[in-house]
Amino acid sequence: MLIPDSYRHKGLRNRLVDELRAKGIVSESVLDAIRAVPRHQFFQDLAFVEKAYEDIAFQIGAGQTISHPSTVAFQTQLLGLKNGEKILEIGTGSGYQTAVLAQFGVKIFSIERQHALFVRTKKHLELMNISAKLFFGDGYLGQPAYAPFDKILVTAGAPFITEALISQLKPGGRLVIPVGQDGKQVMHVLDKQADGSIVSEEHGEFRFVPLLEKRN
Ligand code: SAH
């Protein structure tokens, strides 16, 4: 059962969009996507539903968190999504970011290493009618069977950038990945050129839960 999406929730989302705009999110399509997705429906504990439209991260079980809305918006903006693109997401988590990506009419493949979260989020996204192909596995390895991808998004803090992910990008493709340890990462955008070389840019500091190896 989904918690209903009321006018009050919609109002809170409009307020969140204003806050994200003030924090520097300029892409109208990203702001529209934030406005469209009922973030409160991704919360397990009804007691915290009221907090769903504050710009804060939240526990979602299995020691993991749903990212700050501003982080989700910022990473989505960096991706520069176009209708019909093929996207690989590492760290499905609650599925909130997945739902935001789905607003862009892209084809989504998403990997989660926590089995309990994978099972729960798969059911939840089906219930919300959000179409994404979810995998239980180690995101470090990417998803070679479905590669190459136009865009790859990593939603956990990676200690290093793996060759596997870069090799699964199309020429002209983009990888958005927070790199760093101890709860402090620098957002990296890596663009694969037509000749296969990589151009890298940095976009400020963020805090993510760590990207961990192997399945759990
Ligand atoms: N995008 C999520 C945020 C999840 S937090 C959301 O909107 O809710 C990061 C997620 O990455 C966690 O669920 C964590 O279990 C997962 N994760 C960590 N290491 C991973 C790996 N190697 N492969 C796939 N998922 C991983």
Side-chain angles (χ1 to χ4, degrees):
M1 268 280 286
L2 289 176
I3 309 165
D5 189 24
S6 67
Y7 281 110
R8 183 174 141 65
H9 292 121
K10 292 187 172 101
L12 290 171
R13 281 209 289 289
N14 283 331
R15 220 164 67 186
L16 173 62
V17 163
D18 291 343
E19 188 178 343
L20 296 183
R21 222 189 269 283
K23 287 183 173 172
I25 304 298
V26 293
S27 161
E28 289 302 325
S29 56
V30 170
L31 294 170
D32 285 349
I34 297 287
R35 204 181 278 114
V37 179
R39 188 168 184 259
H40 66 280
Q41 292 179 339
F42 292 84
F43 282 55
Q44 296 302 303
D45 191 333
L46 289 182
F48 296 121
V49 162
E50 288 294 311
K51 297 267 178 209
Y53 297 107
E54 292 179 25
D55 190 19
I56 49 178
F58 234 87
Q59 299 297 321
I60 52 172
Q64 299 303 325
T65 54
I66 178 169
S67 305
H68 289 71
S70 55
T71 303
V72 170
F74 190 68
Q75 286 198 294
T76 308
Q77 180 168 275
L78 287 177
L79 282 172
L81 298 173
K82 293 188 196 75
N83 197 25
E85 283 184 333
K86 221 169 111 185
I87 315 298
L88 176 65
E89 178 190 32
I90 315 292
T92 318
S94 68
Y96 174 65
Q97 168 81 72
T98 317
V100 169
L101 298 176
Q103 305 306 307
F104 290 81
V106 292
K107 201 165 163 34
I108 305 165
F109 301 81
S110 184
I111 312 174
E112 172 56 53
R113 73 176 279 281
Q114 296 273 5
H115 194 255
L117 270 179
F118 161 75
V119 171
R120 192 175 84 198
T121 299
K122 190 165 161 40
K123 278 200 204 118
H124 190 70
L125 290 178
E126 279 165 15
L127 190 64
M128 290 188 80
N129 259 322
I130 287 163
S131 152
K133 195 159 174 53
L134 304 192
F135 302 90
F136 167 52
D138 180 359
Y140 269 102
L141 309 173
Q143 200 51 250
Y146 292 88
F149 300 95
D150 294 289
K151 309 278 164 68
I152 300 178
L153 170 63
V154 180
T155 74
F160 52 88
I161 301 167
T162 73
E163 198 40 56
L165 295 182
I166 289 176
S167 71
Q168 290 171 37
L169 273 181
K170 288 183 189 173
R174 172 171 285 189
L175 168 63
V176 174
I177 181 169
V179 186
Q181 271 163 318
D182 300 326
K184 205 164 103 182
Q185 289 86 23
V186 173
M187 193 68 75
H188 281 66
V189 173
L190 282 79
D191 285 313
K192 191 186 248 187
Q193 312 298 303
D195 66 0
S197 64
I198 297 294
V199 173
S200 170
E201 263 184 20
E202 293 183 6
H203 287 270
E205 278 185 8
F206 291 80
R207 297 176 74 86
F208 284 85
V209 295
L211 188 69
L212 301 171
E213 280 181 89
K214 306 211 173 69
R215 302 185 303 183
N216 189 1

